Each structure stands twice: as C-alpha cells, then as structure tokens.
Amino acid sequence: MIKGLRYAPGTERSSVPLDQAFDTKRNSLGFLRMVFAAMVLFDHAFPLGGFNHGTDPMWGWTHGQESFGGLAVAGFFVVSGYLVTRSFTESRTAVRYLWKRVLRIFPGFWVCLLVTVAVFGTIAYVFDHSTLHGYVFGHPDSPGGYLGRNALLQMNQYNIDGLLSTTPFQHSGYPQAFDGSLWTLIYEFKCYLAVAVLGVFGIFRWGRPAVLVLALALWVAQLQDVMHPSRLRGIPVIGDPNMMILGFVFCLGALLYLYRDKILLSDTMALVAAVVLVVGMR
C-alpha cells in the first residue's frame, strides 16, 4: 500500500479514483518536494562547483533537452497546480484565496532576501575585501537594490556588489547570482493569479474542459516555439517560453485535481509513463 492512500476493503489499487485515494493529512507530497529539492541542488552543484565543465550530466544524456533541475521544477509546478486549485475551491472567496497565496509565498521570499543580504552577502564581501566598508553603498548592485528591485518576486538583480566573480560559476554562462533558484517564484505567483481568474468565472465548477483546452494550447505553443523560436516573442504569456512550460505543467496538476473523480490510480500506466518519459528525453 502506498503511504497516504486509503483503499476500501477488497478494492484493487488500480480501480480507485484519485479523490478517494488521496489523504489530505497523510500523503507523500512532502517527500516528493524533498526529492525535487535534492534534484535542484544536484543540478546546481555542477555550475557552482565547476564540475563536469559546469554542466548537469543530464543535459548531455538528453541531447540538451532537459536537466535534473528542470524536471524538479516541473514536478514542483504539477504538485502546486493540484494543491493550489484545491485551495481555491475550498476558499470562501477569491480574496481569501489570494490572501492565503500571498502569505504562502511573500514572507518566506522576503526573509530569504534579507538573510542573503545580512549574512551571505556580508560574508562574501569580507572574504573579498577584508572589511565591510563600502558594502552597503558605493555599488550599482547594492544590498538595498537587491532588496528593493526583487521585492515583488521578479528577480531584477541577482548579485550584490559585484561579488562571486572569482567563483567557478562565472564560467557557467549565467549571470552571477546568490540564489538563482528564485526566478521561478514570479511564474508560480502568476499561476496563482490565473487560478483566481478562472475560479471567479466559474471554470472550476462547470467548465473543467476549458482548463484542458488551456493546457493543450500551451503545449501547442511550446511546439510552435521550438519550430519557430521568434514568432511568438512579445505576445503576452505565450511569448515567454518559461511561462508556457511552467504554465502547462501547472495546468496538468490542476487537471489532476479537477478530474480526480475520473482519474484511476494505475501502477501499469505509471510505469508506461515513466518509460515514455525516459525514451522521449533520450
């Protein structure tokens, strides 16, 4: 028996719909998040430490299609799509839902920014300059700028005072960053807002197929972007490749929730999906 799933006596696992099997208090979502976080750390270790020429080995194995970190981010967004859609349907009002989403993401994000500036930034500055003099002022990418420019989730400044320029990461091709993982949060919050809009218009009550159509549209947009990379640039939402990809996998999580009474658990189909994923990436 899978931890967190409840089965009626004498009922086979593959015949149980997701809504009957999922236990809101005892499930493995926390474990999944730990696995995804570990995958992100593993992915980032290569450019940060200069290992394997700064490249996650999965990039080579998949011929440049995917990385461990990319898979992990997709996993985070699928789980989020399921839970956030559920959060909206169980909230009394859209305002209440949005307030819970703000409390979920902004306080932790702001604490992360403050700790970066107050702890890690100061350590790096002292290491480079043997003093804190000039740390707060005197640089275009100052600590204050790091806090102010990034306060609304959009990462507009990744580095502080030109630090980290002597680390292996400088050869990665990416801009110097104290916490490069934060770039996904603005996309996460945009998905929260999209859920609110769809929910206000009653899509989750009577228009479930509309979410399926939206997911298919985002998938088609990704194919179009692969075949004609510049054609969609500048168009809201689909003009941003990251928004297309992350919005699509978020929709997959939302669909799991919306069709939870139709989706049956199947070990066989899970195995088939895993094989298709591996073959497709290869």
Side-chain angles (χ1 to χ4, degrees):
M1 179 178 293
I2 299 177
K3 181 181 178 182
L5 301 183
R6 302 167 297 182
Y7 303 105
T11 301
E12 292 297 328
R13 184 167 26 181
S14 61
S15 64
V16 179
L18 181 58
D19 64 339
Q20 295 181 25
F22 183 72
D23 188 328
T24 57
K25 295 183 179 179
R26 295 182 63 252
N27 56 67
S28 299
L29 294 182
F31 172 75
L32 283 175
R33 285 167 167 157
M34 288 182 62
V35 170
F36 296 149
M39 290 171 65
V40 170
L41 289 172
F42 180 77
D43 179 300
H44 288 188
F46 291 92
L48 289 175
F51 309 113
N52 194 40
H53 305 292
T55 304
D56 177 344
M58 183 176 279
W59 280 120
W61 188 83
T62 62
H63 308 293
Q65 294 185 86
E66 192 53 276
S67 65
F68 281 104
L71 283 177
V73 171
F76 276 124
F77 271 72
V78 171
V79 171
S80 182
Y82 183 94
L83 295 178
V84 170
T85 304
R86 174 175 173 267
S87 174
F88 182 90
T89 60
E90 295 183 354
S91 297
R92 292 190 300 272
T93 65
V95 173
R96 176 64 179 169
Y97 157 80
L98 287 173
W99 179 240
K100 288 190 294 185
R101 293 303 96 207
V102 168
L103 291 180
R104 176 72 174 177
I105 198 168
F106 274 96
F109 175 70
W110 287 334
V111 169
C112 179
L113 295 182
L114 285 170
V115 170
T116 299
V117 166
V119 180
F120 297 106
T122 57
I123 292 174
Y125 194 87
V126 170
F127 183 84
D128 278 3
H129 302 280
S130 301
T131 178
L132 272 177
H133 180 70
Y135 174 63
V136 177
F137 304 104
H139 300 271
D141 54 347
S142 65
Y146 186 82
L147 296 176
R149 293 169 187 156
N150 301 331
L152 298 180
L153 294 181
Q154 181 72 51
M155 292 299 294
N156 298 305
Q157 178 184 323
Y158 282 97
N159 202 7
I160 299 173
D161 290 354
L163 299 169
L164 309 179
S165 60
T166 59
T167 64
F169 190 67
Q170 67 174 320
H171 305 294
S172 67
Y174 295 98
Q176 296 297 327
F178 272 87
D179 195 341
S181 301
L182 297 178
W183 70 270
T184 62
L185 293 181
I186 186 63
Y187 295 103
E188 176 88 1
F189 196 72
K190 287 178 179 178
C191 289
Y192 294 170
L193 296 177
V195 166
V197 172
L198 293 174
V200 165
F201 283 98
I203 298 298
F204 300 142
R205 292 196 304 273
W206 52 263
R208 294 189 300 180
V211 181
L212 178 59
V213 171
L214 174 60
L216 289 173
L218 289 171
W219 179 64
V220 171
Q222 291 178 68
L223 296 179
Q224 176 71 15
D225 187 62
V226 170
M227 294 183 291
H228 307 284
S230 61
R231 183 170 295 179
L232 299 178
R233 295 296 186 267
I235 300 177
V237 181
I238 61 174
D240 183 343
N242 289 325
M243 191 72 256
M244 280 192 294
I245 296 171
L246 299 179
F248 169 69
V249 291
F250 188 93
C251 280
L252 295 183
L255 289 169
L256 285 175
Y257 178 77
L258 295 175
Y259 287 93
R260 64 195 182 280
D261 58 331
K262 308 288 186 185
I263 298 174
L264 301 179
L265 297 180
S266 169
D267 291 346
T268 301
M269 289 306 299
L271 179 60
V272 170
V275 170
V276 170
L277 173 65
V278 172
V279 173
M281 288 194 303
R282 183 56 179 170

